[in-house]
Amino acid sequence: MFKNLMAFWKGKDFLTEVLEEFKEMLDDTKYMFESVCRGLIEGKADPCLKDKTYEIDKKVNLIEKKIRKRIVEHLSIQPTIDVPASLVLMSVVKDAERVGDYCKNMFEIIGLLEKPLKKELFKELFDNIDKEIMDEFEMTQKAFIESDEEVAREILYLERRVVRKCDEIVRTLAKSNLPTNEAVCLALLARYFKRIAAHLTNIGSSVILPISDLDFFDERLRNEKG
Amino acid sequence: MLKAISRIFKIISMLFFLYLFLVSISLMSHAFKGFGHGFAERLITTTSNPFVGLFIGILATSIIQSSSTTTSMVVAFVAAGTLSVRNAIPIVMGANIGTTVTNTLVALGHITRKEEFKRAFSGSTIHDLFNLFTVAILFPIEMMTRYLERTGTFLSSLFLDMGGVRFTNPIKIVVKPAVDLIYGVLRRSIFVSEGLLNTIILAVSVALLFISLYKIVQIMRMLVIKRADIVFDKVIRKNALLSMIMGMLFTAIVQSSSITTSILVPLVAAGVLEIEHSFPIVLGANVGTTVTAILASLTGNIAGITVAFVHLIFNVTGILIIYPFKQLRAIPLKVARFIAEICAKRRILAFVYVIGLFYMLPLILIFLSKYFR
């Protein structure tokens, strides 16, 4: 009992603990994205991919709930400390959870495809977007955990590029003569890539945006350009 | 470095206010003694009806929203010999009920959101109900057997035998110069009758008591809140005994059960904590809050220590009677949910509950018992 109490007493403080958990969420979703992409694009599907994907998604959801609970506890005990950080975290955990959901949706495309994806076609259409999103995962983690404003700004531009490419893919697919099944699956994939990039940008841009502007990074980008 | 200096400053400030708290209790005892036999007789007559004592305890604590203040004052009364231990016991029981008004008021802050309010109100009334049930069980038992008085006296005599009073002597010695100084300054600077001088000294001591307790609570909260935040997350929902110990330690350190229980209300309201999990913390807070009276008693005599022990035994017995038994433990939980359900449907009833239970009912009953004496 005394050992337990001492262990509790020596625990980490709120922000350290929550940031560690949030980093775990980002690591998990990155792993999900990487494995699903490998299975989908390169056809190197792990036989346990389905179980792994759903299991990690469940874990990500649990961490989201845990972080939210922890924030409410913290604000009830110390209502004046870490309010902005708590509000930002409350918002970005939702984004990380959504990334997990989209990775799961990407996995479901494997089941929808009648034939495996043609590598050349994918390469031609998507032009390494998956790799750019992988870079965005890394950058998001660095920007958010280390509060790196430079990296946060780079994320904004990277996201723009991904969005433009994804929109272009959908336009190309709409005009193409590809079989319906393949066209729908590729269009969905482009859509999910775009959403994942946007959610990661929500997380990364929270470093430079005021709390009231969270999720509206595109307006910021327009203003900076304008 | 700056943090360490600030911490040291806080600890020194806390020790200063703790000293002031002890001085205020001692000063209060002196003032009560100074009022003479007439005052003592009147007070004893008024509180000789245990029901009146109980309702005085509820009303006084509901008004000042601090059982620590009420029980410390009761200890001062008893130490001065103006109140007997027997008559003090119902007041201490009443203080336990009265102190729960604070978290109920916190719950009222959630009144605009129905579901949230329902949870918040059940989270706060669980404290009221447990303390009411404990009084409902222990008050008649005490009237019939005097077990609290006997056990308190026994424990304080053990304390005496163990050299406890010798231990208290240094505190008396340390406190005495300040008490003598305040007494002397007031006597030399205000030329009034002895009775009026005692009234002024009483007012000064009450003011010092409020200020010192307020500052102790504030400083201790600042000193331990960060750790409490860390410990809290790891303990709650895991083990009832650990939760109880945490509630007890946190309350003993910050010297206010209201702080502990008021922290729980928003958590229950937000739905992140079930009342089954907040319940043991509340019970721990009931025990932890008795530390203040024990501290206050160190400046007085054996009778004061007895009252402080009575406060502790009363709360521990309440837990031992109700909490270990699933069926008994379920009663306050079910009633709290039932009351919260009704009050969430007709929110005006929440105000009726607070005003009725904590203010109107004790006031009416004190008046009636005086009228029909």
Side-chain angles (χ1 to χ4, degrees), chain B residues 32 35-44 77 82 202:
Chain B
F32 289 142
F35 284 131
H37 285 296
F39 173 76
E41 271 168 24
R42 272 201 307 279
L43 197 65
I44 287 168
F77 271 118
T82 47
L202 179 64

Side-chain angles (χ1 to χ4, degrees), chain A residues 12-169:
Chain A
K12 292 166 189 153
D13 72 4
F14 166 73
L15 271 183
T16 314
E17 193 187 314
V18 172
L19 280 176
E20 272 177 16
E21 274 165 0
F22 185 63
K23 189 176 170 293
E24 198 181 332
M25 257 182 124
L26 290 175
D27 283 337
D28 286 340
T29 48
K30 186 181 151 200
Y31 174 76
M32 269 173 105
F33 181 81
E34 199 177 10
S35 339
V36 173
C37 277
R38 209 179 305 136
L40 194 67
I41 304 157
E42 297 174 18
K44 291 176 192 164
D46 176 350
C48 313
L49 185 61
K50 185 180 178 182
D51 292 342
K52 269 188 193 166
T53 307
Y54 280 78
E55 205 176 288
I56 297 173
D57 183 54
K58 228 188 236 174
K59 185 187 164 200
V60 167
N61 293 350
L62 281 176
I63 300 178
E64 182 194 13
K65 286 188 204 167
K66 197 177 164 198
I67 291 177
R68 284 178 169 179
K69 252 185 198 175
R70 187 71 187 91
I71 291 169
V72 177
E73 279 169 19
H74 175 69
L75 291 180
S76 299
I77 297 171
Q78 301 192 76
T80 52
I81 316 280
D82 304 319
V83 175
S86 298
L87 293 175
V88 168
L89 278 161
M90 207 67 164
S91 171
V92 294
V93 286
K94 180 80 196 155
D95 287 302
E97 184 266 332
R98 297 299 297 144
V99 171
D101 279 351
Y102 282 118
C103 291
K104 199 173 69 183
N105 295 155
M106 276 169 57
F107 170 78
E108 281 157 6
I109 292 178
I110 300 178
L112 287 177
L113 278 167
E114 286 167 357
K115 283 187 284 181
L117 272 183
K118 287 175 207 130
K119 264 189 187 178
E120 292 73 31
L121 175 67
F122 179 81
K123 226 177 179 178
E124 188 192 322
L125 273 172
F126 283 77
D127 187 25
N128 285 329
I129 297 181
D130 53 323
K131 293 194 176 62
E132 283 189 288
I133 295 177
M134 277 302 289
D135 289 344
E136 198 181 345
F137 269 103
E138 301 274 347
M139 288 159 81
T140 302
Q141 211 173 78
K142 185 171 170 54
F144 191 83
I145 307 290
E146 296 170 24
S147 281
D148 192 324
E149 293 188 21
E150 268 312 299
V151 178
R153 264 174 238 285
E154 281 172 34
I155 292 173
L156 290 179
Y157 293 102
L158 177 65
E159 194 265 352
R160 277 292 90 186
R161 254 195 337 264
V162 171
V163 165
R164 266 199 298 271
K165 278 185 189 176
C166 289
D167 289 344
E168 186 54 39
I169 292 167

Side-chain angles (χ1 to χ4, degrees), chain B residues 311-331:
Chain B
H311 192 199
L312 175 68
I313 302 159
F314 168 73
N315 280 308
V316 172
T317 320
I319 295 171
L320 290 177
I321 289 176
I322 297 173
Y323 197 77
F325 309 102
K326 213 175 168 185
Q327 279 90 350
L328 273 178
R329 185 168 68 216
I331 298 171

